[in-house]
Amino acid sequence: MTFRTSRKLIILMYHQVLEALDPMRPFEVDVHTFRRQMMSLKRWNNVVSLRDGVRRLRDQTLPSRAVAVTFDDGYQDNFRNAMPILRDLQIPATIFVATGFTGKGTMFNDLVIEAVSQCTRDSIEVPGLDQKIPLGNSLEERRQAVARILEQIKYLPLDERQAIAESLAASVGADSGHTPMMTRDEIRAVRNQGIEIGAHTVRHPILRKLGDDEAREEIYSSKEELEDILNEEVAGFAYPNGRPGRDFGQRDVNLVKHAGFEYAVTTDWSAGQVDSDPFRLPRISFGTRTGLRPQ
């Protein structure tokens, strides 16, 4: 795994590192795959911390084949599975935490996945949308059902989105405890191991769908809560979903700047360059078989 770039910063994005591959989460790595990827990354590239990489990119002192590793959302398996591998291989990383789920609750997308995975019927009714989604008999059809439901609810108002996901899981008796998030103590523990912690809003909203006050609250409060947990400055921010123009706009970039962040990352697929906006840094999603994870 070699990234042949000259004075560019490749920022890799992960979400979960699972104990074993989950067929309903085909774009998430398991511990064995992740270790292999990290070993290859360290052997063939110059792995840098994201904060240091951003500064050196700006100062034009970045080494060739520079790569930074990031995780979004703050899943507990980052602490349990990823951290020991990163520590053993001495690879720096950054975890962007959605603080509203810290130590409690399940994110809406995981509720949908668990509901579809555990449903024993051939279709599932989505509360509030007055429609039944066929599940079919194959794994691929179930994956498509998840994608269809998520696409329909992702851009709804926050409370409505979460309520639909929770009702969906409850309607099939799904166990939503499969995807716990890091606790405050676990966030401190990964930071004590040298892993940087960044903010990812409070409730993982589509910022472009929020009013000014609500967007400000999501951005500012996530920073404040993490700084309270860590007793130190939080420099990095990741835009939820992360597609420029569709998921966040210039207002949100301005709010991130004014909140006191040093840099912010998107899901725009590219490499960071000397002239890249430090508040719109691109990343490359990384996963299992294809190495790619859709947004």
Side-chain angles (χ1 to χ4, degrees):
M1 185 195 306
T2 307
F3 295 97
R4 297 186 180 281
T5 60
S6 177
R7 301 303 187 268
K8 294 180 181 180
L9 178 61
I10 299 290
I11 306 172
L12 302 182
M13 178 176 66
Y14 291 88
H15 287 75
Q16 294 185 258
V17 177
L18 306 173
E19 293 284 351
L21 292 176
D22 182 346
M24 288 300 290
R25 292 176 171 83
F27 302 103
E28 306 294 0
V29 295
D30 66 346
V31 288
H32 302 295
T33 302
F34 184 69
R35 181 177 286 276
R36 287 197 304 269
Q37 289 178 347
M38 293 299 101
M39 290 174 66
S40 177
L41 199 68
K42 184 170 183 178
R43 180 178 181 183
W44 299 109
N45 299 276
N46 289 304
V47 187
V48 298
S49 72
L50 182 53
R51 191 175 189 181
D52 184 52
V54 172
R55 290 173 173 175
R56 295 182 68 180
L57 182 66
R58 177 196 61 205
D59 298 338
Q60 301 186 47
T61 60
L62 198 66
S64 62
R65 302 190 308 279
V67 181
V69 177
T70 70
F71 299 82
D72 278 10
D73 301 332
Y75 287 100
Q76 192 178 64
D77 56 54
N78 295 177
F79 162 77
R80 186 176 60 246
N81 298 333
M83 184 182 71
I85 295 171
L86 295 169
R87 180 187 60 215
D88 291 349
L89 297 175
Q90 297 184 314
I91 290 177
T94 300
I95 300 175
F96 294 103
V97 176
T99 57
F101 301 96
T102 299
K104 59 185 178 182
T106 303
M107 296 184 69
F108 78 98
N109 53 301
D110 292 310
L111 288 167
V112 171
I113 292 172
E114 293 303 335
V116 173
S117 298
Q118 299 176 45
C119 183
T120 58
R121 303 188 294 268
D122 59 4
S123 67
I124 192 167
E125 186 169 354
V126 183
L129 298 185
D130 298 322
Q131 61 176 291
K132 286 188 176 182
I133 305 294
L135 299 181
N137 298 312
S138 71
L139 174 61
E140 185 56 35
E141 287 174 305
R142 295 230 165 192
R143 289 174 178 169
Q144 291 174 2
V146 168
R148 182 176 172 185
I149 295 169
L150 290 178
E151 192 59 32
Q152 292 187 61
I153 71 173
K154 182 184 295 185
Y155 291 90
L156 294 176
L158 274 173
D159 291 341
E160 182 179 357
R161 183 181 74 181
Q162 189 70 18
I164 289 174
E166 290 176 357
S167 295
L168 185 69
S171 72
V172 300
D175 177 5
S176 61
H178 288 215
T179 51
M181 314 304 282
M182 285 193 295
T183 65
R184 292 170 66 95
D185 286 343
E186 289 164 346
I187 291 171
R188 280 190 285 265
V190 295
R191 181 68 190 104
N192 289 338
Q193 290 294 325
I195 295 174
E196 181 186 6
I197 299 297
H200 198 36
T201 71
V202 178
R203 295 182 292 168
H204 203 280
I206 303 298
L207 288 168
R208 196 173 177 86
K209 291 290 185 178
L210 302 184
D212 293 348
D213 290 343
E214 195 173 9
R216 181 181 295 105
E217 178 67 18
E218 286 284 337
I219 293 168
Y220 278 60
S221 291
S222 62
K223 188 176 196 294
E224 291 166 1
E225 183 171 351
L226 288 171
E227 289 177 344
D228 179 66
I229 293 172
L230 300 171
N231 195 31
E232 68 177 18
E233 176 193 14
V234 169
F237 181 84
Y239 301 100
N241 222 54
R243 286 174 287 191
R246 181 175 183 182
D247 300 322
F248 70 94
Q250 186 59 49
R251 175 207 63 184
D252 307 306
V253 174
N254 293 340
L255 285 171
V256 170
K257 291 179 182 178
H258 295 156
F261 289 101
E262 187 177 320
Y263 68 86
V265 293
T266 73
T267 58
D268 196 15
W269 187 286
S270 187
Q273 304 187 52
V274 172
D275 59 353
S276 293
D277 182 345
F279 291 94
R280 297 175 183 265
L281 291 168
R283 289 188 290 175
I284 295 176
S285 301
F286 231 61
T288 52
R289 288 158 295 184
T290 63
L292 311 180
R293 184 187 197 276
Q295 297 313 303

